[in-house]
Amino acid sequence: MAASAIRIGCASAFWGDSNAAAAQLIAKGGLDYLVFDYLSEITLSILAAKRQRDPTAGYAEDFVDHAIGPYLTDIKAQGLRVISNAGGINPAACRDALAAAAEAAGVALSIAIVTGDDLLAARDTLAGLMRPAKGDGPLPERLASLNAYAGAPAIVAALAAGADVVITGRCVDSAVTLAPLVHAFGWAWDDYDRLAAGSLAGHLIECGCQCTGGNFTDWHLVADGYADMGFPIVECHADGACFVTKPAETGGLVSPHTVGEQLLYEIGDPAAYRLPDVICDFTEVTLVQAGADRVRVEGARGRAPSGEYKVSATYRDGFRAVASFVVAGIDAPYKARANAQAIITRTERLFAARGWGGYTAIDIDTLGAESTYGAHASLGGRSTREVVVKIAVRHRHREALALFTRELAQAATGMAPGVTGFFGGRPRVSPVIRLYSAFVPKHAAPLAIDVAGRTHAVVLPPSCPSRSAGEPPRAPGPVARPAQAAVTVPLVRLALARSGDKGNDANIGVIARKPSYLPYLRAALTDAAVAGWFAHVLDGEVRHWELPGIHALNFLLTDTLGGGGMASLRSDPQGKCFAQMLLSMPVAVPTSLLEARAGDTASTSH
């Protein structure tokens, strides 16, 4: 008999997240499934390099050694099933390490692995089948990694085969949550509304504490609980209804605002959030408080997915180094920039003498003087008496950057006064890792599962017409401009916001604190206005969409992260601070609107 509800907890948002999360959720979560998300494109390139050096490496060792290894007895006793993409580039090695840990603990576990996402060995065969993503050309010649974003079917097959633990390579983050829902409830692969609801549940918890009060605009409401943040749990029902919560007696906050910020995180077009198993429409999702630290989530819609997988490759493109040191005293920002520019000029002269050519990219920030704010830096920031200068550089030759690192210390005795605190000593020279994105037909990337040494091919469901008729896009809502008695306030008085990245693009989600504020946000936050606010970093364009269900706007800023990821030299290569910058933007509203805002949750410090 199918279950009526199951509870899934997420214990990892990235490789490096707290290893205490699993212990918390195992002890206090009352879970049916425990899931982990470890992988990003950069993580895969790092794991690929590790496997090249050691054929038994290439997976997230923390998963075995620290996250679940010490708790295998409890996991088995509770009948808790575990799903993780910790397999990275080498799921078989991850399985073998976990099997050894289970044997040492005297715990019998059925461990399945999913294979087929790693396409590097088939690079030449697939090159002619790949459709480059917008802005990307032909597949680069020398790749560090090449992986398809798999969906949930292979994980469902492994669960059906009786696996206690399922280890995957690259899959979409939400698949580790959608799969147990499909398995437990028997959802059909053409029941797209339920698949969208399950994918939304996975999206909400895949970034760990970001939906339980972490990275939250109104941080002051949560700060007392930072030392023991509760990790997220979704309680999902067979009809697609979902509740987000966290373990009792842990820090954090689960509210429509904390969950709403995560809903908007890095989704791009909310009416077309594309996954391998379903294209999701989140525009009419509603979030309702349903008890203390408990939010009901409803309204996701879905339609048939495409016949392609997204594919991400990483490749090396030169070298980079980043130096940082303190400059203090009167005129600190000006001294810092003068010193930084002198270091660049001096080293480029030394490069020229050796025939190496100049830097391929340079980025200088004076952190503490609001240099990342561009023209919006405050006068107070420019007059600060202590800054950290950050000099990031790229070059074609490792030897050139090694020389750069040796020439930095001379600033302490041969340039403007107040130089101290070279963080971490001499900087390390590292490769520049760039991301390449494309699409490949699903049939060209066959998946398989291995359970107890037996390999089974995974048959993907056919693409079917959606059961949901869908609705035409909504027209934009009304725009309101104050007619009289206007006052200008920072956006944070009216809204919450969260930002993140998609490659070289930034995503900023903005939620009105009250529905009545949304017309004024529409008037102030036009695409042109947001583009102007970020003119100092924007190389592309701005567009936005509305989510009427949560009274929100979602902005996409293209080509704005200096290459994104490890290819970027920016202090904020993933746009994580963009929302905080936008929340300072002035918005004109009628005085009467603010007089009626008693009970809002905006920090009194803003």
Side-chain angles (χ1 to χ4, degrees):
M1 182 175 177
S4 60
I6 61 172
R7 286 168 64 89
I8 304 171
C10 180
S12 177
F14 57 94
W15 190 22
D17 206 348
S18 172
N19 286 315
Q24 180 197 93
L25 289 167
I26 292 168
K28 299 180 178 181
L31 303 179
D32 300 291
Y33 290 85
L34 181 64
V35 302
F36 297 78
D37 177 26
Y38 284 102
L39 299 183
S40 69
E41 290 74 26
I42 301 305
T43 306
L44 284 168
S45 67
I46 294 170
L47 293 175
K50 289 170 69 72
R51 187 179 64 174
Q52 287 179 345
R53 295 190 296 268
D54 178 357
T56 66
Y59 64 93
E61 295 97 334
D62 290 1
F63 171 67
V64 176
D65 297 340
H66 304 292
I68 69 167
Y71 310 106
L72 292 175
T73 301
D74 294 330
I75 288 171
K76 185 68 174 181
Q78 292 183 26
L80 186 58
R81 302 178 85 173
V82 177
I83 306 171
S84 174
N85 59 13
I89 296 293
N90 200 346
C94 185
R95 173 201 58 201
D96 294 345
L98 182 59
E103 183 178 5
V107 175
L109 284 181
S110 172
I111 307 171
I113 60 172
V114 176
T115 61
D117 66 287
D118 185 355
L119 305 177
L120 191 59
R123 177 207 181 284
D124 293 339
T125 303
L126 294 174
L129 298 175
M130 286 190 184
R131 178 172 64 88
K134 181 181 178 182
D136 281 325
L139 188 66
E141 286 297 323
R142 302 183 65 182
L143 301 178
S145 64
L146 179 64
N147 293 80
Y149 288 71
I155 304 172
V156 174
L159 293 172
D164 300 309
V165 180
V166 183
I167 297 170
T168 79
R170 192 53 162 132
C171 61
V172 291
D173 299 341
S174 56
V176 297
T177 298
L178 176 61
L181 300 178
V182 172
H183 171 70
F185 300 140
W187 288 347
W189 290 110
D190 63 347
D191 193 349
Y192 295 118
D193 285 350
R194 285 192 172 93
L195 296 183
S199 297
L200 176 56
H203 172 72
L204 292 176
I205 66 171
E206 71 191 26
C207 291
C209 293
Q210 281 198 169
C211 76
T212 60
N215 196 18
F216 180 44
T217 300
D218 290 341
W219 62 273
H220 61 288
L221 300 178
V222 191
D224 287 348
Y226 284 166
D228 185 29
M229 288 292 286
F231 277 74
I233 297 169
V234 282
E235 177 189 300
C236 298
H237 295 251
D239 63 0
C242 164
F243 295 86
V244 179
T245 186
K246 66 181 183 67
E249 299 179 353
T250 59
L253 173 69
V254 181
S255 72
H257 281 168
T258 65
V259 176
E261 285 195 13
Q262 178 57 26
L263 191 161
L264 293 170
Y265 186 64
E266 299 180 346
I267 62 170
D269 182 352
Y273 185 59
R274 298 178 181 274
L275 298 168
D277 305 314
V278 60
I279 297 175
C280 303
D281 182 346
F282 297 151
T283 56
E284 299 294 342
V285 169
T286 59
L287 306 172
V288 178
Q289 198 76 47
D293 290 317
R294 184 176 172 86
V295 169
R296 183 180 180 95
V297 182
E298 290 183 301
R301 305 289 294 274
R303 59 187 186 272
S306 77
E308 296 177 313
Y309 286 129
K310 179 182 176 182
V311 174
S312 286
T314 58
Y315 63 100
R316 294 190 177 192
D317 183 24
F319 299 90
R320 57 178 279 152
V322 181
S324 57
F325 51 88
V326 173
V327 179
I330 299 168
D331 294 331
Y334 305 98
K335 292 188 298 186
R337 187 159 286 276
N339 286 0
Q341 189 56 58
I343 290 169
I344 295 298
T345 301
R346 174 183 174 83
T347 50
E348 286 204 310
R349 188 175 68 247
L350 295 173
F351 295 170
R354 291 161 173 78
W356 289 337
Y359 295 106
T360 56
I362 301 165
D363 190 77
I364 298 172
D365 276 331
T366 47
L367 303 175
E370 301 190 9
S371 65
T372 61
Y373 278 73
H376 306 296
S378 68
L379 293 176
R382 294 168 189 157
S383 63
T384 185
R385 291 178 292 183
E386 57 186 16
V387 298
V388 173
V389 61
K390 184 223 71 179
I391 312 171
V393 290
R394 285 203 302 259
H395 201 281
R396 292 181 295 275
H397 301 297
R398 180 186 288 272
E399 298 85 355
L401 295 189
L403 187 153
F404 163 79
T405 68
R406 294 194 299 268
E407 289 296 318
L408 291 164
Q410 191 263 346
T413 56
M415 296 183 188
V419 174
T420 187
F422 283 84
F423 297 108
R426 183 175 289 177
R428 183 171 60 93
V429 178
S430 58
V432 173
I433 305 295
R434 289 194 180 273
L435 174 66
Y436 174 90
S437 297
F439 301 91
V440 68
K442 288 177 179 175
H443 66 76
L447 302 176
I449 60 171
D450 184 307
V451 186
R454 300 180 123 188
T455 300
H456 310 270
V458 175
V459 179
L460 296 181
S463 183
C464 303
S466 176
R467 292 183 183 181
S468 172
E471 298 179 2
R474 275 195 179 193
V479 173
R481 293 181 174 86
Q484 56 187 358
V487 62
T488 298
V489 298
L491 176 61
V492 72
R493 294 278 300 275
L494 308 173
L496 307 99
R498 177 172 297 171
S499 56
D501 67 315
K502 281 295 181 184
N504 194 30
D505 301 339
N507 191 124
I508 310 175
V510 179
I511 304 173
R513 292 184 181 275
K514 288 184 176 182
S516 60
Y517 295 173
L518 187 56
Y520 296 94
L521 300 186
R522 291 190 189 106
L525 300 179
T526 63
D527 291 347
V530 173
W533 195 254
F534 289 97
H536 59 296
V537 292
L538 181 66
D539 292 323
E541 61 182 11
V542 175
R543 62 177 304 196
H544 79 276
W545 303 266
E546 289 204 19
L547 291 87
I550 61 169
H551 317 295
L553 308 173
N554 199 48
F555 292 85
L556 185 70
L557 288 66
T558 64
D559 297 330
T560 193
L561 298 175
M566 287 186 68
S568 175
L569 299 180
R570 302 265 181 86
S571 297
D572 183 12
Q574 296 176 296
K576 303 295 186 184
C577 298
F578 279 24
Q580 295 298 302
M581 293 180 182
L582 187 62
L583 287 169
S584 298
M585 186 175 181
V587 179
V589 295
T591 304
S592 59
L593 190 75
L594 296 183
E595 291 171 349
R597 67 184 295 275
D600 280 0
T601 57
S603 170
T604 56
S605 66
H606 293 304

